Amino acid sequence: MTNRKKLIAFVEVIPMIALGIVGGTVVDRMGSLRVARLMQAGWMMVMFAFAAVIVTGVATKEILLAIVFVEGMIAGFSNPSQLALVAKLLPRQDLSAAVALQSFVVQ
């Protein structure tokens, strides 16, 4: 893996890990579906910003890293909400297989 890929992965994973616990608390207080919807809207805005940066030609390494960082922050809230939704939608006996499949798809 090149140094650029390592930097991008690091910038995305750090806020995801740091905000995962906070994200779980927010999901418990606000509801998993509401948080999932808000995070999908957040991802949409980030992707529009990413497209605008690329189309206008103002993309720099710093801007792209900032976009990746914000994406990691959104993922810190989105991941707990998605796991909570799976737990609510499926019967208990199917839950472990569903979580394993979800983890496999994400990886």
Side-chain angles (χ1 to χ4, degrees):
M1 189 185 295
T2 65
N3 286 338
R4 287 183 183 167
K5 290 179 183 177
K6 288 179 186 177
L7 179 63
I8 290 169
F10 180 76
V11 167
E12 184 178 19
V13 168
I14 291 302
M16 191 184 313
I17 292 171
L19 293 175
I21 295 170
V22 176
T25 304
V26 170
V27 168
D28 288 342
R29 290 187 182 264
M30 291 181 62
S32 54
L33 185 58
R34 186 174 183 192
V35 173
R37 286 179 178 163
L38 287 171
M39 293 307 106
Q40 288 298 316
W43 257 319
M44 181 183 67
M45 288 187 265
V46 168
M47 290 304 115
F48 280 139
F50 179 67
V53 164
I54 297 299
V55 168
T56 58
V58 297
T60 64
K61 182 174 76 171
E62 292 79 16
I63 291 173
L64 296 177
L65 286 175
I67 289 172
V68 169
F69 184 80
V70 171
E71 184 184 10
M73 291 173 60
I74 292 170
F77 290 92
S78 179
N79 292 345
S81 69
Q82 291 174 2
L83 288 171
L85 279 174
V86 169
K88 288 180 182 178
L89 293 173
L90 294 174
R92 190 161 184 81
Q93 66 267 18
D94 295 335
L95 193 56
S96 63
V99 170
L101 181 61
Q102 184 181 21
S103 296
F104 177 75
V105 169
V106 170
Q107 298 301 328

